[in-house]
Amino acid sequence: MTGACAGLRILDLSSGYAGKIATMVLADFGAEVIRVEKRDGSEDRFVAPVGEGGEGALFMQVNRNKKC
């Protein structure tokens, strides 16, 4: 992927939405973002799930383009 942040590697340890959104923008601009969560998963992973037994829509949006 190419972009303004191509070649950057970011470690996302955030728990609040400001950090999640900031790293989402960096990933959108081409940075390689690696998301690290608790063993049970992020606290917002299953809030307002999409589909049956799916992950939350907001969780999927703010973690797009990230590795986990």
Side-chain angles (χ1 to χ4, degrees):
M1 178 182 282
T2 60
C5 295
L8 292 178
R9 182 174 291 154
I10 309 293
L11 186 60
D12 181 3
L13 301 171
S14 61
S15 61
Y17 280 103
K20 292 176 185 179
I21 291 173
T23 54
M24 175 192 71
V25 171
L26 289 169
D28 288 346
F29 281 115
E32 177 185 12
V33 178
I34 302 168
R35 172 105 176 107
V36 179
E37 299 178 358
K38 299 183 289 188
R39 185 177 296 260
D40 298 338
S42 181
E43 58 278 348
D44 61 344
R45 182 180 287 269
F46 301 107
V47 175
V50 175
E52 192 170 319
E55 295 177 333
L58 185 59
F59 174 83
M60 290 190 300
Q61 180 181 3
V62 297
N63 290 307
R64 68 176 182 248
N65 298 326
K66 297 180 186 179
K67 296 179 180 180
C68 189

